[in-house]
Each structure stands twice: as structure tokens, then as C-alpha cells.
Amino acid sequence: MQPPVSSNTSETLNQYSATRRFITCLCLLLGGGLIAQLLSVIVVRIASSDIQAGGMLADIITQYLANFFLGIAFIVLSVSNLLIKRGLVEYKRLRLPTIILAASTAIVAFMLIPRMDYLRETALLDGLPVLYSASAAYFTTLAALATSLLLIQLASGGVLLWRQLNH
């Protein structure tokens, strides 16, 4: 049983109901995009006959979607901070997963994938696939780190969506 809501609190909830629905819509869009990214990366890697080309295509998909995810994360974080300043403290629960999502997305898209592309290009200039080049161990480490950060991104997006849908 819930405690009775004061008229001031109910006025605040009614006043920001459109904003709350907007954040919920953004979180749903983000969650769906993360699932679509995961499925597309898996399908591209499995369906490609060339492992290196499949990895490059999966990285391109990840980089394009990163801009979309970072934009949504920025909007969710900004709007939730505004709501917190206006007295809706339950939006503090969205801060940490949004920051983790944005950080993991930015690290993968703007740091790891460009470095992996550089290693691929230098290996191809030598006439070898990257897995047979001198930097194969480094590339494998970067790929494992990128995969783990993408899983962290997916988990933080799921936590963000769960926290927004379950007040």
C-alpha cells in the first residue's frame, strides 16, 4: 500500500507528465537500438564469409549507432538533471547508468575502433590479415575490450530502461 500523496507532489507529477513520457520514450528507443545493434553485429559477424570484412562492417555499424546513443544519453541525462532540480529526485536513479552507457559508447566508438581500423590497415598494407600480422595480440586485446564494453553498454542500457519503467 502506497502512502498518501500530498497535493504538492501530485501537482509536480502532473506538471511534468509529458516530460516523464518523453524520457520513457527515449529510454525505450535507446533500449531497442541497443538490442538492434547487438543483433546486427552478431548477424554481420556470422553471415560474413570473410572474418576481417565482417568485423569491419560490424565496427562501422557500431560507430554510426554510437552517435545516436550518445545523443539520446545526453538528452536523458540533461532532462533528468532538470527534473531533479525541480524536485523529482527519483530521476537520480537514471544518472549512473546513463553515464556508464555514454562512457562505454564513447570509448568503443572513438578510441578502440579507430585504433583497430589502423591496425587492420597497416596489416593489409603488409599483405596480411590482421590476425597474422605482428600486432595480432594487440588487436585481439582491443577487440576483447571493445566487446566487453559493448556488453557493458547493453547492460547499462537495460538498467536504464528498467529503472525508468519501474518507478
Side-chain angles (χ1 to χ4, degrees), residues 7 23 25 33 56-57 75 107 113 118 129 147:
S7 63
I23 288 180
C25 179
M56 290 171 72
L57 185 58
I75 293 169
I107 289 170
I113 290 177
Y118 172 75
T147 302

Side-chain angles (χ1 to χ4, degrees), residues 17 23 40 72 74 106 108 117 162:
S17 64
I23 288 180
S40 65
I72 290 178
F74 176 75
V108 169
D117 286 343
W162 180 74

Side-chain angles (χ1 to χ4, degrees), residues 102-118:
S104 63
T105 301
I107 289 170
V108 169
F110 302 120
M111 291 175 67
L112 296 180
I113 290 177
R115 184 66 183 160
M116 290 168 34
D117 286 343
Y118 172 75

Side-chain angles (χ1 to χ4, degrees), residues 52 117-135:
Q52 189 162 337
D117 286 343
Y118 172 75
L119 292 174
R120 280 188 190 109
E121 289 173 12
T122 55
L124 288 175
L125 287 175
D126 293 338
L128 297 170
V130 72
L131 294 177
Y132 296 119
S133 69
S135 58

Side-chain angles (χ1 to χ4, degrees), residues 37 58-70 101-117 146 149-150 153:
Q37 176 188 10
D59 289 346
I60 290 170
I61 291 169
T62 301
Q63 280 184 313
Y64 280 126
L65 288 175
N67 297 323
F68 172 71
F69 296 150
L70 287 173
L101 177 104
S104 63
T105 301
I107 289 170
V108 169
F110 302 120
M111 291 175 67
L112 296 180
I113 290 177
R115 184 66 183 160
M116 290 168 34
D117 286 343
L149 283 173
L150 285 174
Q153 176 187 357

Side-chain angles (χ1 to χ4, degrees), residues 2-74:
Q2 294 181 346
V5 178
S6 69
S7 63
N8 189 19
T9 306
S10 64
E11 286 177 16
T12 305
L13 292 176
N14 290 334
Q15 182 181 5
Y16 298 113
S17 64
T19 308
R20 296 164 66 98
R21 285 193 303 269
F22 177 67
I23 288 180
T24 302
C25 179
L26 287 178
C27 288
L28 287 169
L29 191 61
L30 187 63
L34 287 168
I35 292 170
Q37 176 188 10
L38 176 69
L39 293 176
S40 65
V41 166
I42 289 172
V43 166
V44 164
R45 288 189 186 267
I46 290 174
S48 178
S49 59
D50 184 9
I51 295 171
Q52 189 162 337
M56 290 171 72
L57 185 58
D59 289 346
I60 290 170
I61 291 169
T62 301
Q63 280 184 313
Y64 280 126
L65 288 175
N67 297 323
F68 172 71
F69 296 150
L70 287 173
I72 290 178
F74 176 75

